[in-house]
């Protein structure tokens, strides 16, 4: 069985990526019981709000141009998109710092995010680290250099966990969670950058042409116009629960929700992100060769559906008990949130090939419409339900809406590729 897997190039690349992700996630899971004893649910709630805002800033830091690195046939073009992304990321993060210096206090008061008022200065660092990391990640994906990505993920997770535990033991309160997160992101980005420079630095220097960047800005304008807007709305959509739970309930509830979704997303990141990175260049190659895209998309979607089915059932049935045992007394509520979120996250997991197909087929404009409609629906459902129901019932409805939308997206994209 193992020999058959490694004879298949797709499965070999997937296994290589997953190996690094497995180690990274094991580190994260392994230290979580320690962190829940060093930090309060309120601290995890504040980190969730911080991460929600950082998620939007990270997307804007490169305007999603990094996704275009995989697409060109000529390496010279891909290299200049890489250089363009680096420039955009540095400039954007400098603007973030300026805005925080000038309007930081106003932002905190207007949006009522007092939980992170003392760590706003860390947000641009997070955006810079992850913006550069994502750019290098797509460059490595294009070149099928998945080993370097695995190594960077392990070092990133190690940096996060070591710093958070060290600062937690040092009694720095919730600040350790924020500093640890950004420290790990910076370490992961630096490690990946050093590997890329060692392997590809000469080729990159030889082919960089700054004068071509303006042309590339317009040639791949679909990514900032549609993909970045879509991704930003998606990030905002995912950020709705921590923000509204904090407004209508309390920071402790946000902490339970944050840890519940964090641990349930670990297996999704383990398989899904690795699958995406291997499937993206493969599907792009099939599109360039005018192969049967419907067949490839259907096969990939069914594979993910089968992989996730039994774990999803297990989470629904047993997660509250597991969380209480694993994280300590009082954390069973995080497990309840996990079980409720399974409906949305299951279909979010299996729609990854469909999302890749949208990028390759340059249908980002329609995906943007989808995300806008999803965001509005999610916000209305959660805003209304939070005023009349308890936190668990509100999140349950939020999850069902997400599940229905993701299933609809899969069916629409399958139908679209069948017509090609």
């Amino acid at each position: 069985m193992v020999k058959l897997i490694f004879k298949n190039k797709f499965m070999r690349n997937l296994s290589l990526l997953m190996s690094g992700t497995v180690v990274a996630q094991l580190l994260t899971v392994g230290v979580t019981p320690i962190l829940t004893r060093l930090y309060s649910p309120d601290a995890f709630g504040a980190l969730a709000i911080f991460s929600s805002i950082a998620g939007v800033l990270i997307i804007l830091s490169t305007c999603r141009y990094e996704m275009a690195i995989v697409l060109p046939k000529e390496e010279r073009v891909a290299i200049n998109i890489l250089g363009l992304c680096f420039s955009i990321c540095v400039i954007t993060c400098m603007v973030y710092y300026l805005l925080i210096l000038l309007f930081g206090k106003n932002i905190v008061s207007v949006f009522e995010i007092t939980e992170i008022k003392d760590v706003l200065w860390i947000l641009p660092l997070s955006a810079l680290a992850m913006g550069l990391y994502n750019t290098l990640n797509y460059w490595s994906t294009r070149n099928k250099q998945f080993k370097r990505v695995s190594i960077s993920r392990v070092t990133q997770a190690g940096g996060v966990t070591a710093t958070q535990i060290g600062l937690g033991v040092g009694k720095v309160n919730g600040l350790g969670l924020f500093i640890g997160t950004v420290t790990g992101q910076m370490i992961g980005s630096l490690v990946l950058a050093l590997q890329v420079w060692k392997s590809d630095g000469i080729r990159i220097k030889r082919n960089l042409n700054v004068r071509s960047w303006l042309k590339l800005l317009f040639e791949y304008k679909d990514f900032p116009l549609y993909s970045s807007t879509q991704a930003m709305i998606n990030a905002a959509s995912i950020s709705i629960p921590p923000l509204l739970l904090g407004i209508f309930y309390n920071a402790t509830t946000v902490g339970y929700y944050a840890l519940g979704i964090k641990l349930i997303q670990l297996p999704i990141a383990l398989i899904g992100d690795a699958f995406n990175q291997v499937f993206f260049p493969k599907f792009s190659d099939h599109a360039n060769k005018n192969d049967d895209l419907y067949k490839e998309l259907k096969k990939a979607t069914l594979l993910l559906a089968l992989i996730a089915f039994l774990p999803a059932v297990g989470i629904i049935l047993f997660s509250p008990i597991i969380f209480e045992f694993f994280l300590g007394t009082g954390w069973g509520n995080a497990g309840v949130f996990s079980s409720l979120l399974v409906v949305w996250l299951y279909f979010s997991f299996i729609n990854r090939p469909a999302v890749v197909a949208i990028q390759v087929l340059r249908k980002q404009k329609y995906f943007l419409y989808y995300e806008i409609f999803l965001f509005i629906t999610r916000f209305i459902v959660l805003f209304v339900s939070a005023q009349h129901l308890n936190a668990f019932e509100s999140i349950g409805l939020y999850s069902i809406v997400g599940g229905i939308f993701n299933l609809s997206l899969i069916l629409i994209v399958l139908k679209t590729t069948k017509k090609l």
Side-chain angles (χ1 to χ4, degrees):
M1 182 68 178
V2 175
K3 288 183 179 179
L4 287 174
I5 289 175
F6 281 91
K7 282 183 179 179
N8 183 296
K9 188 176 181 181
F10 178 83
M11 292 303 296
R12 186 168 65 249
N13 288 335
L14 182 61
S15 299
L16 186 60
L17 258 180
M18 282 180 59
S19 63
T21 310
V22 166
V23 176
Q25 302 299 6
L26 284 175
L27 277 171
T28 303
V29 172
V31 304
T32 299
I34 301 173
L35 294 176
T36 54
R37 289 163 174 83
L38 292 173
Y39 299 99
S40 67
D42 290 15
F44 283 99
L47 180 64
I49 295 171
F50 174 90
S51 299
S52 298
I53 298 170
V56 175
L57 298 184
I58 290 166
I59 291 164
L60 290 174
S61 68
T62 56
C63 300
R64 301 291 271 185
Y65 272 108
E66 75 274 14
M67 298 185 72
I69 292 172
V70 180
L71 301 181
K73 292 182 179 180
E74 296 181 48
E75 184 180 69
R76 174 182 53 81
V77 178
I79 287 172
N80 282 286
I81 297 174
L82 174 72
L84 175 65
C85 288
F86 265 62
S87 301
I88 293 173
C89 188
V90 172
I91 294 170
T92 305
C93 292
M94 289 172 66
V95 172
Y96 291 161
Y97 258 121
L98 183 61
L99 291 174
I100 288 172
L101 285 172
L102 294 176
F103 308 110
K105 292 181 180 178
N106 297 31
I107 293 169
V108 168
S109 60
V110 169
F111 292 98
E112 297 182 357
I113 49 173
T114 54
E115 295 90 345
I116 63 167
K117 64 180 180 180
D118 296 327
V119 293
L120 281 179
W121 60 273
I122 303 179
L123 281 169
L125 285 177
S126 179
L128 178 64
M130 291 309 297
L132 297 179
Y133 182 87
N134 290 339
T135 300
L136 294 166
N137 196 1
Y138 274 97
W139 170 257
S140 299
T141 297
R142 175 187 174 86
N143 290 279
K144 298 180 174 60
Q145 294 293 330
F146 300 112
K147 183 178 179 181
R148 65 173 67 150
V149 177
S150 290
I151 293 171
S152 67
R153 285 180 178 173
V154 173
T155 54
Q156 179 176 330
V160 171
T161 55
T163 308
Q164 287 180 339
I165 290 174
L167 293 177
V169 172
K171 305 294 183 182
V172 296
N173 299 320
L175 186 62
L177 289 176
F178 301 99
I179 295 176
T181 298
V182 178
T183 299
Q185 291 171 342
M186 294 174 69
I187 291 172
S189 183
L190 179 61
V191 168
L192 188 55
L194 290 173
Q195 292 180 95
V196 168
W197 186 253
K198 181 180 178 181
S199 176
D200 309 325
I202 294 175
R203 284 160 43 219
I204 291 172
K205 285 172 61 178
R206 186 185 301 133
N207 288 281
L208 273 180
N209 179 10
V210 177
R211 285 179 292 182
S212 70
W213 292 2
L214 184 61
K215 179 184 176 184
L216 293 173
L217 274 172
F218 289 97
E219 184 176 346
Y220 291 94
K221 65 181 183 298
D222 286 355
F223 288 92
L225 287 176
Y226 302 121
S227 288
S228 66
T229 309
Q230 169 271 315
M232 188 172 63
I233 292 173
N234 178 259
S237 181
I238 294 172
S239 301
I240 292 172
L243 295 175
L244 291 187
L245 288 175
I247 293 172
F248 288 104
Y249 302 101
N250 50 56
T252 300
T253 301
V254 179
Y256 288 137
Y257 170 85
L259 203 60
I261 194 171
K262 176 184 176 181
L263 292 183
I264 196 177
Q265 282 182 324
L266 289 179
I268 292 174
L270 169 62
I271 300 172
D273 291 352
F275 187 94
N276 250 28
Q277 277 194 268
V278 179
F279 185 70
F280 199 150
K282 181 186 179 186
F283 195 80
S284 181
D285 288 342
H286 282 297
N288 289 331
K289 296 174 183 175
N290 295 315
D291 291 338
D292 186 349
L293 299 183
Y294 172 76
K295 180 182 176 182
E296 291 296 325
L297 183 60
K298 182 180 178 181
K299 184 169 65 175
T301 304
L302 288 175
L303 175 60
L304 290 183
L306 289 171
I307 289 172
F309 182 74
L310 287 179
V313 172
I315 290 168
I316 291 173
L317 295 176
F318 304 114
S319 62
I321 300 171
I322 294 171
F323 272 64
E324 186 79 21
F325 174 78
F326 184 62
L327 301 180
T329 305
W331 285 95
N333 286 336
V336 176
F337 278 122
S338 286
S339 64
L340 293 169
L341 290 164
V342 164
V343 175
W344 159 45
L345 292 174
Y346 175 77
F347 288 104
S348 175
F349 176 73
I350 67 175
N351 87 343
R352 287 166 180 262
V355 173
V356 167
I358 289 169
Q359 305 300 333
V360 172
L361 298 175
R362 308 289 287 273
K363 300 292 184 182
Q364 294 96 330
K365 180 168 70 173
Y366 303 102
F367 196 28
L368 173 60
Y369 299 152
Y370 162 86
E371 288 290 358
I372 293 172
F373 188 36
L374 173 59
F375 173 77
I376 294 171
T377 307
R378 273 177 160 172
F379 182 84
I380 292 172
V381 167
L382 196 54
F383 184 82
V384 173
S385 63
Q387 298 181 65
H388 303 284
L389 304 173
N390 63 44
F392 297 126
E393 292 167 335
S394 298
I395 291 301
L397 288 174
Y398 171 87
S399 180
I400 290 170
V401 168
I404 291 171
F405 269 80
N406 278 296
L407 178 59
S408 302
L409 180 68
I410 293 168
L411 296 176
I412 291 168
V413 176
L414 279 169
K415 185 178 180 180
T416 301
T417 54
K418 195 172 185 178
K419 292 179 179 178
L420 294 176

